Amino acid sequence: MDVNAAVAAVAAIAGAVTGVIAMLAFRFSEREQKRPTRSSLHTDPVLPPGVDTVLSVLRSSAVVLDEADGVVKASSAAYALGLVRGGKLAVEPMLQMARDTRRDGEIRQVELDLPRRGTGRGEALAVSARVAPLGSRLVLLLVEDLTEARRIEAVRRDFVANVSHELKTPVGALSLLSEAVMDASDDPEAVERFAGRMQIEATRLTNLVQELIDLSRVQNDDPLEDAEPVRIDELVAEAIDRCRHQAGAKNITMAAGGTADLRIWGNRGQLAAALGNLVENAVNYSPARTRVGIAARRVTAPGGDLIEIAVTDQGIGISDKDKERIFERFYRVDPARSRATGGTGLGLAIVKHVAASHAGEVTVWSSEGQGSTFTLRLPEAGAARDRAIHHTDLDDEDGPDPSPYEPLPAPEVLP
C-alpha cells in the first residue's frame, strides 16, 4: 500500500513537471515567432508611419536603404537619375555615406559629379546628396539635381564678365581718344580723325546699352500683356527699311516674298526687333553684291498652324561647332568681323528670348561658304481670337480677306 502510494506520488510529480516544461517551451516558441529575425528585416521592411507619403511629394530624389543596403523605397526620380539599379544603390560614394551614417547616426551631405546615363556626351550630372538615419534600422538618402542651377550660375558669371569687358572697351577708347584730341588741338586734321573715331565708339556703346535694355525687357516682360495681331508683311517691311542703308552701301539685294496676309499674335515691338536683328545679321555677314531674302509661309502643326519667317543670306556661313552657341549672349562666330560690323553679340540672344516668350522657336541651317537660313516659327493669330479680344472684325474696313496663298507684291529690291 505504501509502495503504491509512493509510485502514484512520483508519477503525479513527473506529470506536473512535464506540463510545466511544455508550457514554458510553448511560451518561448511563441515569443521567438513574434521576434523579428534578421531575414525578416530584409524580406518585409516597414517604413515608419507617414514616411511613404512624405517621400512621394518631395522634389528631391529619395531612396530608403535597409541595414543590408537593400532599397526599401525609391522615387521615380531616383530611377531616372540612375541612382538605383537592380534593387541596389548604384553610386558607391552615396552607398559609403549611408553605411557611415548607419554606423554612427550622423547626417552627412556632399556634392558629386555623376556621369550621365544613356548619352554619348561627356557632360556630368551635378547632384547634392544628403544622408540621414530613419529610425533605428533604415537610412534615408535625398539627392537633388544641381545641373541646371550650375548652368544658370555659369551663364550669369559669363554674362557679368562679358558685359564688363564690352563696356570697358568703348569707354576706354573714348577716354584715350579724348586725350588724343586735347593733345592734337593744334592739328585740325587729327582732331577730325579722332572725333570720327569717338563717334564710332559712342555709337557702339549706345547700341550695347540699348541691346542690354532690350534683352532685359524681353526676359522680364510678358509680351502677351500688350499683345495684338501683327501683320507679317509689315514686320518684313520694317526690317528691310532698318537695313536699307547698310545693304545699299554693300550693293546687297534684299527681296521679300511668300504667303500674303499672315498674322501672328504678340508684342509688335519685340517681334519687329527680333526680325530686324535677323535681317541685320544677314546683311552684316554677307559679302558685297549678294542677296538676302525674307519669306513667310503658313505651316501645319499638331498644336495649331504656325507662321515661318525665313531669312536667307549668301554669307560666310556658320560651322557646326558654332551653331550650338550662336544664340548665347555675347558669343561671336568671328570676333574680329563683329568688331568691324559693330556687333554686340546680343542680337541672336534677343531673337531667342522673343521667340520663346511668344511660344515659338528660332532655328538655323548653315553651311560654311554657302550662307545661312534663320527660321523664326511663331503661332498664327486666329481670327476668332482677334474678334474675341477686340470685339470687332479687323478686316471689315479692308473688305474680304484675300486667299491665304495669294503671293505678296513683287519683291522689293535694293538698291
Side-chain angles (χ1 to χ4, degrees), residues 273-298:
L275 184 58
N277 284 344
L278 291 180
V279 176
E280 187 174 14
N281 268 7
V283 171
N284 287 337
Y285 286 89
S286 292
R289 293 177 295 278
T290 56
R291 182 179 184 276
V292 171
I294 308 101
R297 65 171 183 167
R298 178 188 293 107

mmCIF file of all heavy atoms in Angstrom, residues 273-298:
data_model
loop_
_atom_site.group_PDB
_atom_site.id
_atom_site.type_symbol
_atom_site.label_atom_id
_atom_site.label_comp_id
_atom_site.label_asym_id
_atom_site.label_seq_id
_atom_site.Cartn_x
_atom_site.Cartn_y
_atom_site.Cartn_z
ATOM 1 N N ALA A 273 11.789 93.835 -83.419
ATOM 2 C CA ALA A 273 13.204 93.810 -83.036
ATOM 3 C C ALA A 273 13.839 92.474 -83.390
ATOM 4 O O ALA A 273 14.981 92.417 -83.874
ATOM 5 C CB ALA A 273 13.345 94.087 -81.539
ATOM 6 N N ALA A 274 13.117 91.373 -83.156
ATOM 7 C CA ALA A 274 13.664 90.044 -83.451
ATOM 8 C C ALA A 274 13.925 89.868 -84.938
ATOM 9 O O ALA A 274 15.012 89.456 -85.356
ATOM 10 C CB ALA A 274 12.707 88.971 -82.933
ATOM 11 N N LEU A 275 12.914 90.171 -85.762
ATOM 12 C CA LEU A 275 13.106 90.018 -87.206
ATOM 13 C C LEU A 275 14.141 91.001 -87.720
ATOM 14 O O LEU A 275 14.961 90.663 -88.602
ATOM 15 C CB LEU A 275 11.770 90.212 -87.927
ATOM 16 C CG LEU A 275 11.797 89.993 -89.440
ATOM 17 C CD1 LEU A 275 12.287 88.591 -89.770
ATOM 18 C CD2 LEU A 275 10.426 90.243 -90.048
ATOM 19 N N GLY A 276 14.149 92.216 -87.184
ATOM 20 C CA GLY A 276 15.153 93.187 -87.601
ATOM 21 C C GLY A 276 16.567 92.722 -87.300
ATOM 22 O O GLY A 276 17.490 92.929 -88.104
ATOM 23 N N ASN A 277 16.755 92.063 -86.157
ATOM 24 C CA ASN A 277 18.083 91.549 -85.814
ATOM 25 C C ASN A 277 18.520 90.465 -86.793
ATOM 26 O O ASN A 277 19.692 90.393 -87.178
ATOM 27 C CB ASN A 277 18.074 90.983 -84.391
ATOM 28 C CG ASN A 277 18.091 92.073 -83.346
ATOM 29 O OD1 ASN A 277 18.391 93.226 -83.632
ATOM 30 N ND2 ASN A 277 17.752 91.714 -82.111
ATOM 31 N N LEU A 278 17.588 89.585 -87.185
ATOM 32 C CA LEU A 278 17.937 88.528 -88.135
ATOM 33 C C LEU A 278 18.341 89.109 -89.482
ATOM 34 O O LEU A 278 19.332 88.675 -90.095
ATOM 35 C CB LEU A 278 16.760 87.565 -88.306
ATOM 36 C CG LEU A 278 16.404 86.682 -87.109
ATOM 37 C CD1 LEU A 278 15.222 85.786 -87.438
ATOM 38 C CD2 LEU A 278 17.599 85.834 -86.685
ATOM 39 N N VAL A 279 17.572 90.081 -89.978
ATOM 40 C CA VAL A 279 17.888 90.683 -91.272
ATOM 41 C C VAL A 279 19.193 91.477 -91.190
ATOM 42 O O VAL A 279 20.035 91.428 -92.100
ATOM 43 C CB VAL A 279 16.727 91.578 -91.739
ATOM 44 C CG1 VAL A 279 17.083 92.291 -93.043
ATOM 45 C CG2 VAL A 279 15.460 90.748 -91.936
ATOM 46 N N GLU A 280 19.403 92.191 -90.088
ATOM 47 C CA GLU A 280 20.632 92.967 -89.933
ATOM 48 C C GLU A 280 21.855 92.059 -89.893
ATOM 49 O O GLU A 280 22.889 92.368 -90.500
ATOM 50 C CB GLU A 280 20.552 93.804 -88.660
ATOM 51 C CG GLU A 280 21.711 94.770 -88.490
ATOM 52 C CD GLU A 280 21.527 95.675 -87.287
ATOM 53 O OE1 GLU A 280 20.647 95.376 -86.443
ATOM 54 O OE2 GLU A 280 22.253 96.677 -87.198
ATOM 55 N N ASN A 281 21.749 90.923 -89.197
ATOM 56 C CA ASN A 281 22.848 89.967 -89.186
ATOM 57 C C ASN A 281 23.141 89.450 -90.588
ATOM 58 O O ASN A 281 24.303 89.287 -90.982
ATOM 59 C CB ASN A 281 22.513 88.790 -88.259
ATOM 60 C CG ASN A 281 23.003 89.017 -86.846
ATOM 61 O OD1 ASN A 281 23.470 90.097 -86.519
ATOM 62 N ND2 ASN A 281 22.881 88.011 -86.008
ATOM 63 N N ALA A 282 22.069 89.139 -91.330
ATOM 64 C CA ALA A 282 22.259 88.618 -92.686
ATOM 65 C C ALA A 282 22.992 89.624 -93.559
ATOM 66 O O ALA A 282 23.879 89.261 -94.348
ATOM 67 C CB ALA A 282 20.896 88.266 -93.289
ATOM 68 N N VAL A 283 22.658 90.897 -93.426
ATOM 69 C CA VAL A 283 23.319 91.931 -94.225
ATOM 70 C C VAL A 283 24.766 92.117 -93.778
ATOM 71 O O VAL A 283 25.697 92.196 -94.598
ATOM 72 C CB VAL A 283 22.542 93.260 -94.129
ATOM 73 C CG1 VAL A 283 23.339 94.394 -94.777
ATOM 74 C CG2 VAL A 283 21.183 93.127 -94.791
ATOM 75 N N ASN A 284 24.989 92.177 -92.481
ATOM 76 C CA ASN A 284 26.335 92.432 -91.963
ATOM 77 C C ASN A 284 27.320 91.327 -92.300
ATOM 78 O O ASN A 284 28.509 91.579 -92.487
ATOM 79 C CB ASN A 284 26.286 92.641 -90.446
ATOM 80 C CG ASN A 284 25.672 93.979 -90.060
ATOM 81 O OD1 ASN A 284 25.653 94.915 -90.849
ATOM 82 N ND2 ASN A 284 25.170 94.061 -88.840
ATOM 83 N N TYR A 285 26.835 90.081 -92.346
ATOM 84 C CA TYR A 285 27.742 88.944 -92.564
ATOM 85 C C TYR A 285 27.688 88.434 -93.991
ATOM 86 O O TYR A 285 28.122 87.311 -94.264
ATOM 87 C CB TYR A 285 27.419 87.824 -91.579
ATOM 88 C CG TYR A 285 27.874 88.137 -90.177
ATOM 89 C CD1 TYR A 285 27.038 88.809 -89.290
ATOM 90 C CD2 TYR A 285 29.156 87.803 -89.756
ATOM 91 C CE1 TYR A 285 27.462 89.127 -88.010
ATOM 92 C CE2 TYR A 285 29.592 88.109 -88.474
ATOM 93 C CZ TYR A 285 28.739 88.774 -87.607
ATOM 94 O OH TYR A 285 29.159 89.094 -86.348
ATOM 95 N N SER A 286 27.161 89.243 -94.914
ATOM 96 C CA SER A 286 27.120 88.862 -96.321
ATOM 97 C C SER A 286 28.143 89.674 -97.103
ATOM 98 O O SER A 286 28.321 90.872 -96.846
ATOM 99 C CB SER A 286 25.726 89.109 -96.912
ATOM 100 O OG SER A 286 24.781 88.227 -96.351
ATOM 101 N N PRO A 287 28.801 89.065 -98.083
ATOM 102 C CA PRO A 287 29.719 89.821 -98.936
ATOM 103 C C PRO A 287 28.951 90.809 -99.816
ATOM 104 O O PRO A 287 27.733 90.724 -99.956
ATOM 105 C CB PRO A 287 30.392 88.733 -99.792
ATOM 106 C CG PRO A 287 30.100 87.440 -99.100
ATOM 107 C CD PRO A 287 28.797 87.629 -98.394
ATOM 108 N N ALA A 288 29.667 91.735 -100.389
ATOM 109 C CA ALA A 288 29.042 92.711 -101.277
ATOM 110 C C ALA A 288 28.477 92.022 -102.516
ATOM 111 O O ALA A 288 28.947 90.955 -102.945
ATOM 112 C CB ALA A 288 30.071 93.768 -101.687
ATOM 113 N N ARG A 289 27.432 92.620 -103.076
ATOM 114 C CA ARG A 289 26.783 92.165 -104.307
ATOM 115 C C ARG A 289 26.226 90.751 -104.171
ATOM 116 O O ARG A 289 26.327 89.934 -105.077
ATOM 117 C CB ARG A 289 27.749 92.263 -105.499
ATOM 118 C CG ARG A 289 28.107 93.703 -105.856
ATOM 119 C CD ARG A 289 29.113 93.739 -106.998
ATOM 120 N NE ARG A 289 30.393 93.157 -106.590
ATOM 121 C CZ ARG A 289 31.325 93.809 -105.907
ATOM 122 N NH1 ARG A 289 31.123 95.079 -105.542
ATOM 123 N NH2 ARG A 289 32.448 93.228 -105.580
ATOM 124 N N THR A 290 25.662 90.454 -103.004
ATOM 125 C CA THR A 290 24.960 89.186 -102.806
ATOM 126 C C THR A 290 23.489 89.481 -102.523
ATOM 127 O O THR A 290 23.037 90.611 -102.674
ATOM 128 C CB THR A 290 25.577 88.377 -101.659
ATOM 129 O OG1 THR A 290 25.593 89.175 -100.470
ATOM 130 C CG2 THR A 290 27.004 87.947 -101.994
ATOM 131 N N ARG A 291 22.740 88.464 -102.102
ATOM 132 C CA ARG A 291 21.294 88.601 -101.949
ATOM 133 C C ARG A 291 20.862 88.136 -100.559
ATOM 134 O O ARG A 291 21.352 87.132 -100.050
ATOM 135 C CB ARG A 291 20.578 87.763 -103.013
ATOM 136 C CG ARG A 291 19.058 87.854 -102.994
ATOM 137 C CD ARG A 291 18.488 86.996 -104.115
ATOM 138 N NE ARG A 291 17.046 87.106 -104.204
ATOM 139 C CZ ARG A 291 16.188 86.398 -103.476
ATOM 140 N NH1 ARG A 291 16.642 85.506 -102.606
ATOM 141 N NH2 ARG A 291 14.890 86.559 -103.626
ATOM 142 N N VAL A 292 19.926 88.868 -99.969
ATOM 143 C CA VAL A 292 19.291 88.475 -98.712
ATOM 144 C C VAL A 292 17.795 88.367 -98.968
ATOM 145 O O VAL A 292 17.175 89.314 -99.484
ATOM 146 C CB VAL A 292 19.562 89.500 -97.585
ATOM 147 C CG1 VAL A 292 18.714 89.188 -96.361
ATOM 148 C CG2 VAL A 292 21.039 89.511 -97.222
ATOM 149 N N GLY A 293 17.217 87.228 -98.635
ATOM 150 C CA GLY A 293 15.794 87.008 -98.868
ATOM 151 C C GLY A 293 15.026 86.817 -97.570
ATOM 152 O O GLY A 293 15.527 86.197 -96.625
ATOM 153 N N ILE A 294 13.813 87.359 -97.521
ATOM 154 C CA ILE A 294 12.919 87.186 -96.369
ATOM 155 C C ILE A 294 11.601 86.637 -96.900
ATOM 156 O O ILE A 294 10.965 87.281 -97.747
ATOM 157 C CB ILE A 294 12.656 88.511 -95.616
ATOM 158 C CG1 ILE A 294 13.975 89.202 -95.254
ATOM 159 C CG2 ILE A 294 11.850 88.248 -94.361
ATOM 160 C CD1 ILE A 294 14.345 90.342 -96.162
ATOM 161 N N ALA A 295 11.217 85.455 -96.431
ATOM 162 C CA ALA A 295 9.995 84.818 -96.920
ATOM 163 C C ALA A 295 9.187 84.300 -95.740
ATOM 164 O O ALA A 295 9.746 83.849 -94.735
ATOM 165 C CB ALA A 295 10.328 83.672 -97.873
ATOM 166 N N ALA A 296 7.857 84.357 -95.876
ATOM 167 C CA ALA A 296 6.957 83.887 -94.819
ATOM 168 C C ALA A 296 5.953 82.906 -95.407
ATOM 169 O O ALA A 296 5.537 83.030 -96.565
ATOM 170 C CB ALA A 296 6.218 85.063 -94.176
ATOM 171 N N ARG A 297 5.550 81.943 -94.599
ATOM 172 C CA ARG A 297 4.557 80.969 -95.037
ATOM 173 C C ARG A 297 3.855 80.384 -93.823
ATOM 174 O O ARG A 297 4.332 80.482 -92.698
ATOM 175 C CB ARG A 297 5.203 79.852 -95.845
ATOM 176 C CG ARG A 297 6.178 78.990 -95.045
ATOM 177 C CD ARG A 297 6.619 77.766 -95.807
ATOM 178 N NE ARG A 297 7.503 76.923 -95.002
ATOM 179 C CZ ARG A 297 7.830 75.678 -95.325
ATOM 180 N NH1 ARG A 297 7.358 75.135 -96.439
ATOM 181 N NH2 ARG A 297 8.618 74.963 -94.546
ATOM 182 N N ARG A 298 2.716 79.752 -94.074
ATOM 183 C CA ARG A 298 1.951 79.068 -93.036
ATOM 184 C C ARG A 298 2.266 77.571 -93.108
ATOM 185 O O ARG A 298 2.276 76.984 -94.180
ATOM 186 C CB ARG A 298 0.453 79.301 -93.235
ATOM 187 C CG ARG A 298 -0.424 78.591 -92.219
ATOM 188 C CD ARG A 298 -1.899 78.699 -92.582
ATOM 189 N NE ARG A 298 -2.387 80.086 -92.472
ATOM 190 C CZ ARG A 298 -2.671 80.852 -93.508
ATOM 191 N NH1 ARG A 298 -2.488 80.406 -94.748
ATOM 192 N NH2 ARG A 298 -3.127 82.085 -93.328
#
